[in-house]
């Protein structure tokens, strides 16, 4: 099964992604994590990624597509995966032809996400400044909301209320992707 998780920062994507990975026996990967790793490299690509990420903007579609495609060609992702953080723009969604089964949208309000992030204990992330988080939410509303409509139109979108408990959200996702009960 190939699943995509979409939601603003603080929506619970990595929590649910890891739970789903365990339950379904397929690997979880996140583009945010991949980019954070690349940002540590002292190369021009690393420096570019670091700068863009820390400001809360998106990495270019071209670079993102190149990096994600390369990752998904690895043998461990052959039988499926849970992909968090991609696609984030219409251009990425249109270029990405990978036989996706379902796209799960973890819906939380901007307010709830900001509240959760301010209490998060892994606050050592350089890209988690309030300015960057606000910019990321703005970019989500502008660029990623249309991606939801794109998948809704082709009948692949599963919309879940991300503000309930971790277990409740998890059960709603399982039902939405036909693995509940
Ligand atoms: P995340 O952990 O998903 O919030 O991602 C952190 C940062 O990585 C984002 O703010 C972007 O700068 C970058 N990023 C992650 N996924 C993508 C994507 N699909 N397209 C462009 N940039 C991305």
């Amino acid at each position: 099964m190939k699943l995509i998780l979409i939601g603003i920062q603080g929506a619970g994507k990595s929590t649910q992604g890891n739970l789903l990975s365990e339950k379904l026996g397929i690997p979880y990967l996140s583009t945010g994590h991949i980019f954070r790793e690349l940002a540590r490299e002292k190369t021009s690509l690393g420096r570019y990624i670091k700068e863009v990420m820390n400001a809360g903007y998106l990495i270019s579609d071209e670079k993102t597509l190149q990096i994600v495609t390369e990752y998904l060609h690895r043998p461990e992702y052959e039988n499926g995966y849970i992909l968090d953080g991609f696609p984030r723009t219409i251009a990425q969604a249109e270029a990405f032809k990978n036989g996706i089964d379902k796209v799960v949208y973890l819906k939380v309000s901007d307010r709830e996400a900001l509240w959760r992030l301010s209490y998060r204990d892994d606050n050592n992330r350089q890209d988690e400044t309030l300015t960057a988080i606000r910019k990321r939410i703005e970019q989500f509303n502008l660029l990623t909301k249309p991606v939801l409509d794109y998948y809704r139109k082709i009948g692949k979108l599963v919309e879940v209320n991300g503000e309930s408990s971790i277990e409740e959200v998890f059960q709603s996702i399982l039902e939405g992707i036909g693995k509940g009960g």
Side-chain angles (χ1 to χ4, degrees):
M1 178 171 245
K2 292 175 181 172
L3 282 182
I4 283 181
L5 290 180
I6 298 187
I8 53 177
Q9 197 179 359
K13 287 170 293 162
S14 71
T15 302
Q16 296 297 333
N18 283 302
L19 287 171
L20 286 163
S21 168
E22 203 173 303
K23 169 94 179 175
L24 304 173
I26 46 176
Y28 162 75
L29 77 162
S30 112
T31 49
H33 180 78
I34 294 170
F35 285 137
R36 273 189 291 280
E37 291 286 302
L38 290 171
R40 287 207 206 128
E41 292 177 9
K42 306 247 171 298
T43 57
S44 61
L45 179 67
R47 276 190 292 272
Y48 158 77
I49 291 178
K50 186 175 173 182
E51 199 174 312
V52 175
M53 274 183 87
N54 287 354
Y57 285 93
L58 295 181
I59 311 300
S60 77
D61 288 330
E62 195 193 346
K63 288 238 156 48
T64 301
L65 278 159
Q66 200 185 325
I67 291 165
V68 171
T69 309
E70 199 185 297
Y71 257 82
L72 294 180
H73 273 126
R74 294 183 180 180
E76 61 259 45
Y77 302 120
E78 209 174 60
N79 297 321
Y81 47 79
I82 298 148
L83 178 56
D84 158 359
F86 175 93
R88 273 230 214 345
T89 64
I90 281 285
Q92 290 178 13
E94 283 176 346
F96 186 58
K97 302 274 175 280
N98 215 294
I100 291 303
D101 295 292
K102 290 283 180 200
V103 175
V104 176
Y105 173 36
L106 284 178
K107 193 174 178 184
V108 300
S109 67
D110 297 356
R111 216 184 119 128
E112 168 76 11
L114 280 167
W115 189 86
R116 287 184 187 179
L117 289 168
S118 58
Y119 285 92
R120 195 135 104 168
D121 50 17
D122 66 340
N123 253 342
N124 50 7
R125 267 175 57 178
Q126 262 186 39
D127 61 326
E128 278 201 351
T129 60
L130 194 58
T131 319
I133 293 167
R134 287 228 169 88
K135 176 55 74 183
R136 222 167 267 136
I137 289 176
E138 183 192 302
Q139 297 264 291
F140 183 90
N141 290 327
L142 189 72
L143 300 168
T144 310
K145 284 261 168 85
V147 175
L148 300 176
D149 294 332
Y150 174 91
Y151 286 115
R152 192 178 285 119
K153 273 192 200 122
I154 56 172
K156 295 202 172 183
L157 192 75
V158 173
E159 198 166 313
V160 168
N161 173 10
E163 297 198 9
S164 31
S165 72
I166 291 177
E167 186 53 33
E168 278 168 340
V169 174
F170 185 50
Q171 290 310 325
S172 309
I173 298 176
L174 291 178
E175 270 163 41
I177 63 171
K179 300 271 179 189

